[in-house]
Structure formats: structure tokens, C-alpha cells
Amino acid sequence: MIARIHALLEEVGRLTADSADELEALRIKYLSKKGVVASLMNDFRDVAAGQKREVGMLLNELKDAAQNRIGALKASFEAAQPAGGRPDLTRTAYPVAMGTRHPLSVVKKEICDIFGRLGFSIAEGPEIEDDWHVFSSLNFAPDHPARDMQDTFFISHSPDILLRTHTSSVQTRVMERQQPPLRIICPGRVYRNEAISYRALCTFHQVEALYVDTDVSFADLKQTLIFFAREMFGPDTDIRLRPSFFPFTEPSAEMDISCNLCKGKGCPFCKHTGWVEILGCGMVDPSVLENCGIDSKIYSGYALGMGIERITNLKYRVKDIRMFFENDIRFLKQFESIR
């Protein structure tokens, strides 16, 4: 019996298992009520009196060795596999952190929704454009500063292929394809070769709107601007129009809104003027309509454009425009409440 126990001790020390089922089979074989150790315990009463002490110690050693070896194998299986056995590969990773919408996406959708209530539909176009749709059709003279390499990204040093500098190119494409009435809004990413700082980037987002029909006047534009400003910034918001110049509109204007921080009284945010600039606008120049195949003697229209980052800054007081593009989860989590 002593020789058998020594053989079993060596056998137990070499035990291995490749699966939970094999491990359970080993436990039953050695440690169950009808297993090897229990069988030897039953045979212990037949051992001669002079050997009982030695055999008893060996039996206890065998039992401990079997328990320790099977316990070690079980621990290795649990460390290699998740609780509950084999992993469910169809299950989504847990815990699932709820994402948030990017503040630029939130503001873009809000702008589009406001103009959607006025009957504007969304139009989109390519970001890699040609000179005609970005500049020439919009009355940019050949020597206009915006054509300079300091402002525009040209593709492979070509003077005709470039990254669009504004989404007005979408307007010209729509006017070429369709006859009035036209009522569209053009959101999208644009590119300009500018120095990166807390207030400027080489890429940003714009939303431009275009309305072309018979008898469209500056009064229609003004009413649209008032509606947009009060829907976006609150019913107490006032607007101010200042004369300006754009090649593709005549007359042209810059629009300011009353500062929603100081309510027009003056503060550092509005530079103590009580007003904050948010967009440019004007009546579509007749030559632009003619360039796109629309009879300017019958139709007229207005256009307006704004930077989404600018509007987002005004709504959420983001001081550094670069934060919109850094994908810092700490910054984005601040907008969880505006899903």
C-alpha cells in the first residue's frame, strides 16, 4: 500500500487539464466519495498496526497533494477565462460608456432645424473644388486676395483645383442644376491657409443659406435674420446690420446680435460694445445669378453665411477653438446634457 501511495503522489504531481470538463473528471477520480483517496481510506483499517502511523501520514499527504494540484489547475482556468466560463463573443463589451454628441454637431443640427422650419432644405457638395465654383462664378476677380496662396489650399500647385474656402460653392452648383425657386442651406467643412491659434484654425465649419425667387427683397433677408437670431439665442435677442462688402452680394452686411451675457450693456466678451458679430449676408449679386444660368431680371435672392464654431462659442463660452478638434474626452463630457 505504501508503494501504491508513493506512485499516486507522483501521478498527482503531474496532473494537467485542458478544459473545465477534464478538471472536473480529475476531481471526481481523486477526491470524490468513491475516488482514489476515499478508497485508500477505506482500506486503511486493514493495514498492520506497525504501519498505520506511516500509512496514515502518507494518505494525508496524498489527499493534500490532490486538493492543492486540482485547486491550482482551477485557479489557472479562472484567471484565463471570465467568470461564467467561456466568453460570449457576441456580447457587447462591458461596461458600455454612453457617448455624447459633439458640440459642433449639436449646433449644426440646431441651425439646420431653424432654417428647416422656414422651408430650407439641406444641400451638400464636394470639399475638393474647382476655381469656377469657389471663386470665378461668385465674382472674385483674378487678382482678389482670397485667391492668394496665403488663404487658399491648392491641390498639387494647380491654380484650378483647391480645397473649398467656403460652402458658397455648393450654392453655385445648385443654381447651375436647378431653376428658382431655390431655398437651401449648405453646411460643411471648409479650409483656409491660416495660422493656428485659439481663435483660428486651417479647417472649420460653415453654414450658408440661399433663397432665390421672384420679388425677394432685403426685407425678407432681415426677417429671416431676426427669426434665426431669436430662435438660436433667445426671444430677447436684437440684431444690428452694418454695411460691408462681399464679391457675391450687393448690398452686403455684417450682422451683430446683442450680447447675451450682458444683455447689451457691455462686458469683456463683447468688448464693451454690447454687440457680437455672428454672420455676413446680402442680396445675391445679379452677375452671380447670370453666371449660374438664372435670369437676374426675373429673379432675385439673398444669401447668408456663418461659422459653426463661432455660434458654438457664443452659446457655450468655449474660449479656445482648438478644443473642438482635440477630442479630449474631458471637454466632450461637459456636453452630456445636450444629447
Side-chain angles (χ1 to χ4, degrees):
M1 190 174 188
I2 292 176
R4 184 182 176 191
I5 294 175
H6 281 296
L8 287 171
L9 282 170
E10 293 181 4
E11 182 180 315
V12 166
R14 297 191 299 268
L15 292 180
T16 59
D18 296 327
S19 66
D21 292 338
E22 290 183 11
L23 183 62
E24 179 63 9
L26 291 177
R27 187 195 67 80
I28 294 172
K29 177 180 178 181
Y30 289 97
L31 298 175
S32 67
K33 292 182 179 180
K34 296 182 179 181
V36 173
V37 175
S39 178
L40 290 173
M41 291 290 187
N42 291 333
D43 295 338
F44 180 73
R45 59 177 177 267
D46 299 327
V47 175
Q51 294 182 326
K52 283 188 179 292
R53 177 180 176 82
E54 181 181 3
V55 173
M57 293 176 63
L58 287 174
L59 282 175
N60 288 332
E61 183 180 350
L62 176 61
K63 181 179 179 181
D64 292 340
Q67 290 176 337
N68 292 338
R69 182 58 182 168
I70 292 174
L73 292 173
K74 181 180 180 182
S76 66
F77 272 106
E78 292 176 347
Q81 297 182 2
R86 297 182 178 181
D88 182 0
L89 300 180
T90 65
R91 183 178 179 180
T92 305
Y94 183 84
V96 179
M98 293 297 294
T100 61
R101 295 174 60 200
H102 196 282
L104 293 180
S105 298
V106 172
V107 173
K108 171 187 170 182
K109 183 178 185 302
E110 188 172 356
I111 294 172
C112 292
D113 287 345
I114 292 172
F115 280 93
R117 295 198 291 274
L118 293 173
F120 286 77
S121 59
I122 295 176
E124 296 179 335
E127 296 181 7
I128 299 177
E129 267 289 6
D130 55 53
D131 178 272
W132 170 257
H133 292 99
V134 175
F135 293 133
S136 298
S137 65
L138 293 168
N139 272 357
F140 283 84
D143 58 350
H144 194 282
R147 294 174 177 268
D148 195 282
M149 282 290 292
Q150 294 180 2
D151 294 326
T152 305
F153 287 106
F154 291 94
I155 305 298
S156 300
H157 305 287
S158 170
D160 297 320
I161 306 300
L162 53 117
L163 297 179
R164 65 184 182 188
T165 59
H166 48 199
T167 54
S168 299
S169 58
V170 181
Q171 299 178 14
T172 59
R173 286 185 176 275
V174 172
M175 286 191 287
E176 286 176 341
R177 295 194 308 264
Q178 302 178 29
Q179 284 295 305
L182 299 172
R183 198 189 298 253
I184 60 171
I185 185 169
C186 313
R189 190 193 302 267
V190 298
Y191 306 86
R192 294 182 186 176
N193 192 4
E194 298 183 358
I196 296 176
S197 68
Y198 74 96
R199 57 184 301 174
L201 282 175
C202 57
T203 179
F204 55 98
H205 299 80
Q206 276 190 340
V207 174
E208 299 194 24
L210 173 71
Y211 177 37
V212 180
D213 203 346
T214 55
D215 301 321
V216 177
S217 68
F218 202 95
D220 298 314
L221 170 60
K222 184 177 179 181
Q223 289 302 314
T224 300
L225 296 174
I226 292 173
F227 178 81
F228 168 74
R230 292 179 177 173
E231 288 293 302
M232 176 61 70
F233 298 103
D236 298 327
T237 303
D238 293 324
I239 72 167
R240 180 178 72 174
L241 297 174
R242 294 178 287 104
S244 186
F245 169 78
F246 302 109
F248 38 85
T249 54
E250 179 61 36
S252 304
E254 299 275 3
M255 187 184 100
D256 305 330
I257 61 168
S258 55
C259 180
N260 53 358
L261 278 183
C262 64
K263 307 302 180 184
K265 296 179 181 179
C267 67
F269 184 77
C270 63
K271 299 179 181 179
H272 301 283
T273 64
W275 299 95
V276 180
E277 177 188 332
I278 66 167
L279 59 82
C281 59
M283 300 301 295
V284 179
D285 193 297
S287 60
V288 173
L289 296 176
E290 296 291 342
N291 289 339
C292 296
I294 295 176
D295 191 342
S296 62
K297 297 179 182 179
I298 300 176
Y299 299 104
S300 58
Y302 65 72
L304 60 94
M306 69 194 83
I308 298 179
E309 284 82 356
R310 177 67 169 168
I311 304 298
T312 308
N313 278 339
L314 294 176
K315 285 183 68 70
Y316 300 116
R317 314 288 186 267
V318 180
K319 296 181 179 180
D320 193 332
I321 194 175
R322 291 170 294 190
M323 298 179 71
F324 292 128
F325 296 87
E326 291 175 347
N327 293 326
D328 189 330
I329 192 67
R330 296 169 298 178
F331 170 72
L332 298 177
K333 277 185 173 293
Q334 299 177 52
F335 299 91
E336 287 180 334
S337 61
I338 58 172
R339 289 196 183 99

